[in-house]
Amino acid sequence: MESTVEDIKNETVSPDGRNTFVHHAEAVWNQRQPYGPNGLRGIFTSHYAATCAAFAALGGMVFGYDQGVVSVVLVMEQFLGRFTSVSDKAAGAGFYKGLLTAMIELGAFIGALNQGWIADKISRKYSIVVAVVIFTVGGILQTASMNYAMLTIARLIGGVGVGMLSMVAPLYISEISPPEIRGSLLVLEELSIVGGICIAYWITYGTRYMPGEWAWRLPFLLQMIPSTVLALGILFLPFSPRWLASKGRDDEALESLGQLRQLPVTDWRVQQEWFDIRAEAAFHRQTNAIKHPGLQRKSKVNSIKLEIASWIDCFRKGCWRRTHVGIGLMFFQVSLYQSVGLSITDGT
């Protein structure tokens, strides 16, 4: 049975018998008891959650590797011998090369756009597995590509998986992390992306001297190793407590939270965070019901309409400023890269 905000308010009692329910986020933060120190020092205190986050960050490595590998492969003589349409001597080479590069971005857009409802429906864990399966199919097709059309479609399919991973991996990390080190653990995602790009550069630097087509096929094949490890390992990690709470599985959420914090479920800090998570989930459900009362009846059509309405809400009053900030930060990254002498077209 799903809890309401009032139900949780009545349960939120501290060890000294005081009702401690507060709705304002700042008030909650001021009275909560921390699990440990902030920043990097806190990672060693919450080592289990940090390990889970580091493992989930393999999704970022997959994203970075796939971004980096194509920039070197596109200039390999062995690759150009197979795909002559992207050779500098071919007519329209710029278009075909740009299309091949853009396919992963298009696929990533499609994957990230759809990963929200998938992660909400089947959990963050299992949506990572789905993303890896799609990425693996794309990786296999890239490795076995015999013509330009096959490679382009393979890049699109692989991009869908990459986009799904780039969306759900940081979401999972943020939801399992203790509040004190949430920002520090989210940095692991960005670090993994950069690490994946560097690994791709070094691997392709070595394979470009191999005779034959394995010079470019091998880098495409190797990208499936970290994704397969991620898909198999994520099954042994706990579910997101916030996802469990959003599904009304409050007892399971408490057990997952205790496992992540490596503390008994009776610990006051675990109980306090559990109440906060449940209150947030209940508040989100009630707010959603007020905003979209006609879409609350469970059906596939209503689910699709509610997903679209949720995206539209991002640009409505009360949320559009945050949406613009997020879009703006991503947009101005291009100007930042160019200002430090980096090129976004040739990967240098």
Side-chain angles (χ1 to χ4, degrees):
M1 180 178 179
E2 295 180 344
S3 303
T4 65
V5 174
E6 286 300 319
D7 294 334
I8 300 167
K9 179 177 180 179
N10 294 331
E11 296 177 29
T12 315
V13 180
S14 66
D16 59 5
R18 293 182 295 106
N19 186 297
T20 61
F21 181 88
V22 282
H23 179 66
H24 196 281
E26 184 177 349
V28 172
W29 183 262
N30 289 336
Q31 76 164 15
R32 69 178 302 278
Q33 300 177 21
Y35 290 104
N38 299 328
L40 294 177
R41 289 189 303 158
I43 293 178
F44 297 99
T45 304
S46 303
H47 52 85
Y48 182 78
T51 302
C52 294
F55 193 85
L58 283 174
M61 179 179 292
V62 172
F63 176 65
Y65 184 95
D66 204 47
Q67 290 279 335
V69 71
V70 71
S71 62
V72 181
V73 164
L74 280 173
V75 298
M76 287 185 179
E77 294 182 3
Q78 302 92 323
F79 179 84
L80 297 176
R82 164 63 65 177
F83 304 100
T84 55
S85 58
V86 297
S87 173
D88 292 335
K89 298 179 181 179
F95 170 79
Y96 291 113
K97 187 181 294 186
L99 180 63
L100 181 64
T101 306
M103 278 298 101
I104 187 175
E105 306 298 341
L106 175 61
F109 173 77
I110 296 172
L113 193 64
N114 287 277
Q115 182 66 315
W117 68 266
I118 296 175
D120 285 342
K121 187 174 182 61
I122 66 175
S123 82
R124 292 28 169 159
K125 276 178 54 172
Y126 295 146
S127 64
I128 289 177
V129 176
V130 172
V132 170
V133 170
I134 295 175
F135 175 78
T136 301
V137 171
I140 292 173
L141 292 176
Q142 289 177 69
T143 305
S145 291
M146 301 302 294
N147 54 58
Y148 177 82
M150 182 177 179
L151 181 60
T152 303
I153 295 173
R155 294 289 292 174
L156 177 65
I157 296 173
V160 173
V162 165
M164 294 174 70
L165 284 174
S166 66
M167 183 273 185
V168 75
L171 175 63
Y172 179 76
I173 292 172
S174 66
E175 292 186 349
I176 66 172
S177 302
E180 295 82 15
I181 59 172
R182 186 167 294 140
S184 299
L185 294 184
L186 280 172
V187 171
L188 294 175
E189 173 74 7
E190 299 300 323
L191 183 63
S192 294
I193 293 175
V194 176
I197 294 174
C198 292
I199 292 172
Y201 285 163
W202 282 107
I203 288 177
T204 49
Y205 177 78
T207 61
R208 68 186 302 172
Y209 297 105
M210 295 173 59
E213 294 186 348
W214 276 107
W216 60 268
R217 293 188 190 273
L218 183 59
F220 283 140
L221 178 65
L222 292 178
Q223 68 183 339
M224 289 180 279
I225 295 178
S227 63
T228 303
V229 172
L230 173 62
L232 295 176
I234 198 71
L235 298 175
F236 298 95
L237 300 186
F239 285 99
S240 162
R242 294 181 184 273
W243 178 80
L244 292 170
S246 71
K247 298 299 181 181
R249 297 159 62 177
D250 294 339
D251 292 338
E252 294 178 64
L254 179 59
E255 293 177 6
S256 177
L257 197 58
Q259 181 182 356
L260 285 165
R261 304 297 175 257
Q262 295 291 282
L263 292 169
V265 295
T266 55
D267 186 280
W268 168 238
R269 293 168 295 180
V270 175
Q271 289 281 323
Q272 189 178 41
E273 187 176 5
W274 182 51
F275 286 130
D276 292 343
I277 290 173
R278 292 170 60 201
E280 182 183 348
F283 181 74
H284 175 73
R285 284 193 295 266
Q286 293 180 20
T287 302
N288 196 30
I290 294 173
K291 286 184 176 181
H292 311 290
L295 301 176
Q296 299 307 305
R297 187 171 60 86
K298 294 186 180 297
S299 69
K300 289 185 177 180
V301 174
N302 280 351
S303 297
I304 295 173
K305 289 182 178 179
L306 190 58
E307 178 69 18
I308 296 174
S310 299
W311 281 103
I312 296 175
D313 286 342
C314 294
F315 298 93
R316 286 178 174 165
K317 185 178 180 180
C319 195
W320 68 270
R321 293 181 185 275
R322 284 175 288 180
T323 302
H324 287 178
V325 169
I327 295 174
L329 287 174
M330 298 301 296
F331 177 79
F332 285 108
Q333 281 184 0
V334 177
S335 300
L336 175 63
Y337 291 151
Q338 292 175 338
S339 68
V340 296
L342 297 177
S343 170
I344 60 173
T345 57
D346 58 9
T348 59

